[in-house]
Amino acid sequence: MQKKFYLTTAIAYASSKPHIGNTYEFILGDSIVRYKKKDGYKTYFMTGTDEHGQKIERKAQSLGVTPQKHVDNISDMIKKTDEIMDVKYDHFVRTTDDYHMKEVQNVFKKLYDKGDIYKGEYSGLYCVECESYFTEKDLIDGCCPDCGRPVEKTKEEAYFLKLTPYQDRLIKHIKEHNEFIQPESRKNEMLNNFLKDPLPDLCVSRTSYKWGVPVTFDDKHVIYVWIDALLNYVTGIGFHLDKESGDLYKEFWPADCHLIGKDILRFHTIYWPIILMALDLPLPKQIFGHPWVLTNHNKMSKSKGNVVYADDLAKTFGSDAVRYYCLHEIPFAQDGNLTYELIAERSNSDLANTYGNLVSRSIAMALKYFPEEEVYQSQNTEFDQELLKTIDNTFIKYKKYMDEFNVSLALEEVMIMLRSSNKYIDLTQPWVLAKDSANKETLRNVLYNLLEAIRISTIMLEIAIPKAANKVYEALGIKETNFDSINFAFKKSYKVKKIDVLFQRIDVDALMKEIVAKEEALKQKEVKEDTKTKSEISIEDFEKINLVVGKILEAKKHPKADKLLVFKVDIGTEVRQIVSGIAKFYNPDELVGKKVIVVKNLKPIKLRGEDSFGMLLCAAPEDDSTLELVSLKDANVGDIVR
């Protein structure tokens, strides 16, 4: 019977375009599935988008579109990025799909009927950005421990999922199945930080917004977005609660691996298994919490202005180079760092010099020295055995690391083999052998060994650089590319074709100068207030302006503009980010806590990379020599200014 392998990524939250840190997860998942296919597995790879929640509802409102229109746009954007990065999934699930929503409702109702879900009241702290509940002790400096943004106090009627009845069973499962949470450090984090004390019941519904899956028996409520999202792993392969599940579910569940970011480990290793236990369904075999991709050693965040996108990187370096960098440079259990300069240097060293140069030199010599003849095994050299031993050992180590999902070390083993292959050229000196016809068969053998090293290394590297691999297969006349064909001399002879340069060397200094120049050009664009004389407006026009009282919760300097401050302002119904050009007149710290007047319905704008959803009213003389933020004392947050 053929071996089966089902891998999922976390579905991307459809609030905005995903950065390279999100895309890394899809690339990593794609590389693992490609590996499993080569190893003879029947695979199923699923990804998708998480499309409900308060954050999405607010984002759509700020953009003046419906939530459905917004998530449609983001979903299409994510699919396009996957296409650019050669991520080949089998199914793209969307939580707004009718079949998914129906099963979510059925599950919620079943757990309610069982008594695992009950109605109560939630009073506490909520991070809209992360769609997560927190207690005071969870916060860091009063803000969300995951994203660092202010949390909101909320109080509303809600349904709760009982967790403690399943806690001991979950702990026992984790301890008895060492592979269940990987890497090991993630398992210890869950056991020591979350499961050592009784779990509080989980709030699983909301009434303060409408963009979610409705509770069928209580239409005031929508189902908590995380409950909705987690169920995609079974609904996307045909799970049904009230009728027989589909063939895909029967064939592939339980999942072999949920590939997720380490920041959402709690949801996947505590809440998700408990939901499955309550439904009497098998647990996934493994939850793998991968590390983050950092930029300049900092977590990517739009508020920091350091977000990098995969499609932009692909335009500069090509998708293969970006894929390779992410897979090679993000360690198994530690965060990895990414910059344009680092990608360029790694592309030059590994892809252009080590791999690309070996391919170009070897094929060029085969065409030059045997233009009409085939290249095959012939007269051995004293250096052959060392190369062949290296090739054999490389594949053994490569498989070991890939089976552990340690892609970084697996790729490095291939690079070690390729460096040995380049050294083999220096030792055998084919150009010297070619000068004497008596050495023809030795030369033929040397080139055969090199072409075999290229073939075998390319089969292993294809998981990272599929575009380049296909070009090499074409040049070598390779049809069989699974691991059954990876043994030396599987291909008996070669008649090669000319191949273009696979990876151009990048002038790192010139590239960095170009990037710095672009950044400097952006810095020169100052936000200028419109000083033109304003024309008269009618009372009808004035009534279109929606002024409300807001309270400044957070104020900080704009990371890219000295004249701008970035605020988080509570306007009663939500917390908004507003960018204002008042840094010359105010220290950010002195503004926190002030009540201000906000233009609520101003069209959103991006100011030097930061989204601004509104305007703060200020008073200033005509020459702008001073400026005073209009502030209030006794008004309530959310009051309308008339």
Side-chain angles (χ1 to χ4, degrees):
M1 176 180 281
Q2 188 176 20
K3 300 174 289 186
K4 307 287 191 345
F5 185 80
Y6 173 35
L7 181 140
T8 72
T9 68
I11 50 177
Y13 197 52
S15 58
S16 58
K17 180 180 179 179
H19 56 60
I20 185 62
N22 306 124
T23 308
Y24 161 67
E25 185 174 300
F26 310 146
I27 295 170
L28 178 59
D30 177 78
S31 72
I32 293 169
V33 171
R34 286 176 185 267
Y35 166 78
K36 290 294 184 181
K37 284 182 177 179
K38 286 184 174 295
D39 203 26
Y41 284 78
K42 181 178 181 181
T43 64
Y44 200 81
F45 177 26
M46 193 168 75
T47 185
T49 39
D50 177 6
E51 302 185 1
H52 290 123
Q54 189 172 18
K55 181 181 176 182
I56 287 173
E57 184 176 77
R58 289 182 180 180
K59 182 74 172 182
Q61 288 172 349
S62 71
L63 297 174
V65 298
T66 65
Q68 187 64 57
K69 176 65 174 174
H70 177 66
V71 297
D72 286 346
N73 292 338
I74 298 298
S75 181
D76 288 344
M77 194 180 297
I78 292 170
K79 289 178 181 178
K80 182 63 177 175
T81 301
D82 284 345
E83 182 180 345
I84 291 169
M85 300 309 300
D86 288 301
V87 174
K88 307 294 185 185
Y89 48 78
D90 293 290
H91 180 55
F92 191 97
V93 65
R94 299 181 60 185
T95 58
T96 53
D97 290 335
D98 290 341
Y99 71 87
H100 169 80
M101 293 175 64
K102 182 178 185 299
E103 292 305 326
V104 171
Q105 290 174 322
N106 290 342
V107 166
F108 195 93
K109 180 65 163 58
K110 177 171 182 176
L111 296 181
Y112 176 76
D113 291 342
K114 281 185 62 181
D116 284 320
I117 286 178
Y118 64 92
K119 183 185 279 191
E121 182 178 79
Y122 177 79
S123 179
L125 304 168
Y126 189 73
C127 175
V128 176
E129 180 72 19
C130 299
E131 300 284 8
S132 300
Y133 298 98
F134 295 103
T135 62
E136 286 284 357
K137 68 180 180 65
D138 296 324
L139 305 183
I140 298 176
D141 296 328
C143 293
C144 172
D146 293 333
C147 70
R149 291 174 173 81
V151 295
E152 299 181 16
K153 290 184 177 179
T154 182
K155 184 176 182 180
E156 58 185 311
E157 181 182 272
Y159 286 90
F160 291 82
L161 174 66
K162 297 176 183 178
L163 301 181
T164 50
Y166 300 96
Q167 185 169 354
D168 289 343
R169 180 178 163 190
L170 176 59
I171 293 171
K172 184 173 184 289
H173 183 86
I174 293 171
K175 290 182 176 180
E176 291 180 352
H177 297 80
N178 189 52
E179 75 288 352
F180 182 61
I181 303 175
Q182 285 293 317
E184 182 80 8
S185 58
R186 311 278 189 251
K187 180 184 78 172
N188 296 334
E189 177 188 348
M190 291 301 106
L191 288 172
N192 297 330
N193 295 352
F194 294 99
L195 288 168
K196 65 179 181 179
D197 298 319
L199 290 168
D201 292 345
L202 178 66
C203 181
V204 292
S205 78
R206 300 293 305 277
T207 59
S208 54
Y209 64 90
K210 292 297 183 186
W211 184 243
V213 179
V215 174
T216 54
F217 53 89
D218 193 342
D219 59 10
K220 288 192 303 182
H221 293 255
V222 295
I223 297 168
Y224 177 40
V225 63
W226 268 105
I227 304 301
D228 170 15
L230 289 166
L231 284 163
N232 94 88
Y233 300 131
V234 291
T235 64
I237 54 171
F239 166 76
H240 297 292
L241 192 64
D242 56 358
K243 61 181 180 180
E244 186 176 3
S245 294
D247 291 341
L248 278 175
Y249 176 81
K250 293 176 183 177
E251 185 174 18
F252 285 104
W253 189 258
D256 292 274
C257 180
H258 289 325
L259 186 65
I260 61 165
K262 64 179 182 178
D263 51 327
I264 55 173
L265 203 66
R266 176 167 50 104
F267 299 95
H268 285 80
T269 61
I270 297 177
Y271 306 145
W272 178 226
I274 285 177
I275 291 169
L276 291 169
M277 288 176 179
L279 294 170
D280 295 319
L281 296 177
L283 303 193
K285 297 174 186 176
Q286 185 173 102
I287 294 128
F288 188 92
H290 66 74
W292 286 336
V293 180
L294 308 178
T295 52
N296 286 313
H297 301 286
N298 291 306
K299 185 180 178 183
M300 269 181 273
S301 166
K302 288 187 178 179
S303 63
K304 294 178 182 177
N306 65 347
V307 173
V308 179
Y309 297 103
D311 53 347
D312 292 335
L313 292 173
K315 288 176 186 175
T316 302
F317 302 105
S319 61
D320 274 358
V322 179
R323 283 176 62 105
Y324 179 82
Y325 182 87
C326 288
L327 294 171
H328 185 275
E329 294 299 305
I330 312 304
F332 175 66
Q334 297 175 336
D335 296 337
N337 194 39
L338 178 149
T339 66
Y340 275 76
E341 186 173 15
L342 289 173
I343 297 174
E345 290 172 349
R346 179 58 66 184
S347 180
N348 283 346
S349 64
D350 286 10
L351 299 180
N353 291 354
T354 302
Y355 178 62
N357 192 38
L358 176 68
V359 172
S360 297
R361 293 169 74 189
S362 301
I363 290 178
M365 287 189 290
L367 289 170
K368 179 179 180 180
Y369 301 136
F370 297 94
E372 303 299 330
E373 299 178 53
E374 290 192 337
V375 176
Y376 47 80
Q377 275 186 302
S378 190
Q379 183 64 47
N380 293 338
T381 77
E382 60 183 301
F383 307 109
D384 292 2
Q385 284 306 310
E386 185 177 350
L387 177 64
L388 300 186
K389 183 179 178 181
T390 299
I391 292 172
D392 287 342
N393 289 339
T394 295
F395 184 54
I396 292 169
K397 293 177 183 178
Y398 171 88
K399 281 200 92 254
K400 173 185 177 294
Y401 287 132
M402 285 303 302
D403 286 338
E404 298 168 351
F405 303 156
N406 200 330
V407 184
S408 174
L409 290 182
L411 293 177
E412 181 55 27
E413 287 298 328
V414 183
M415 283 298 137
I416 292 171
M417 170 187 150
L418 289 169
R419 293 180 198 117
S420 295
S421 302
N422 279 308
K423 181 182 176 182
Y424 177 76
I425 294 179
D426 296 335
L427 292 172
T428 56
Q429 298 183 312
W431 53 92
V432 175
L433 294 173
K435 292 178 180 179
D436 188 344
S437 59
N439 296 324
K440 182 175 181 179
E441 292 310 307
T442 303
L443 175 61
R444 191 193 305 271
N445 189 74
V446 166
L447 292 177
Y448 175 80
N449 289 343
L450 289 171
L451 295 176
E452 274 290 82
I454 291 168
R455 178 182 71 85
I456 292 169
S457 65
T458 301
I459 291 172
M460 290 186 279
L461 286 175
E462 186 188 340
I463 66 165
I465 52 171
K467 282 189 173 72
N470 286 328
K471 292 176 183 177
V472 173
Y473 295 152
E474 174 68 21
L476 298 182
I478 302 299
K479 301 296 182 184
E480 297 293 334
T481 63
N482 57 28
F483 291 152
D484 289 339
S485 67
I486 211 165
N487 54 298
F488 194 85
F490 179 87
K491 184 167 174 58
K492 301 302 181 184
S493 63
Y494 288 94
K495 189 76 174 69
V496 299
K497 299 177 184 177
K498 185 178 179 181
I499 189 170
D500 294 331
V501 174
L502 293 174
F503 298 96
Q504 296 285 352
R505 277 195 55 80
I506 300 166
D507 186 329
V508 180
D509 290 338
L511 173 67
M512 295 315 298
K513 285 179 182 178
E514 180 183 342
I515 291 170
V516 170
K518 288 180 180 178
E519 290 177 348
E520 287 299 319
L522 285 173
K523 289 179 181 178
Q524 298 305 316
K525 292 182 180 179
E526 300 293 344
V527 178
K528 297 180 180 179
E529 295 182 4
D530 184 6
T531 58
K532 295 179 181 179
T533 303
K534 308 295 190 296
S535 59
E536 292 182 346
I537 62 173
S538 67
I539 187 66
E540 289 81 10
D541 290 330
F542 181 76
E543 286 178 346
K544 294 177 183 177
I545 304 173
N546 188 355
L547 303 176
V548 297
V549 176
K551 183 178 179 180
I552 296 175
L553 302 178
E554 178 187 315
K556 61 183 179 181
K557 292 183 178 180
H558 193 294
K560 295 183 179 179
D562 294 337
K563 293 184 179 181
L564 300 179
L565 295 181
V566 182
F567 297 95
K568 290 291 188 296
V569 184
D570 182 358
I571 60 172
T573 56
E574 59 184 294
V575 176
R576 285 195 181 182
Q577 176 166 293
I578 297 176
V579 181
S580 182
I582 62 175
K584 179 181 177 182
F585 306 99
Y586 285 99
N587 183 316
D589 293 339
E590 66 183 291
L591 297 176
V592 175
K594 281 188 176 292
K595 290 182 179 178
V596 293
I597 298 177
V598 177
V599 182
K600 183 178 179 181
N601 61 335
L602 189 68
K603 185 177 180 179
I605 189 173
K606 189 180 288 290
L607 299 175
R608 296 294 304 280
E610 291 288 341
D611 292 323
S612 183
F613 302 102
M615 179 184 289
L616 306 183
L617 292 193
C618 301
E622 194 168 324
D623 63 0
D624 288 338
S625 57
T626 62
L627 179 144
E628 183 177 356
L629 185 66
V630 177
S631 60
L632 306 167
K633 290 184 178 180
D634 298 326
N636 296 317
V637 172
D639 282 354
I640 298 173
V641 179
R642 305 180 190 279

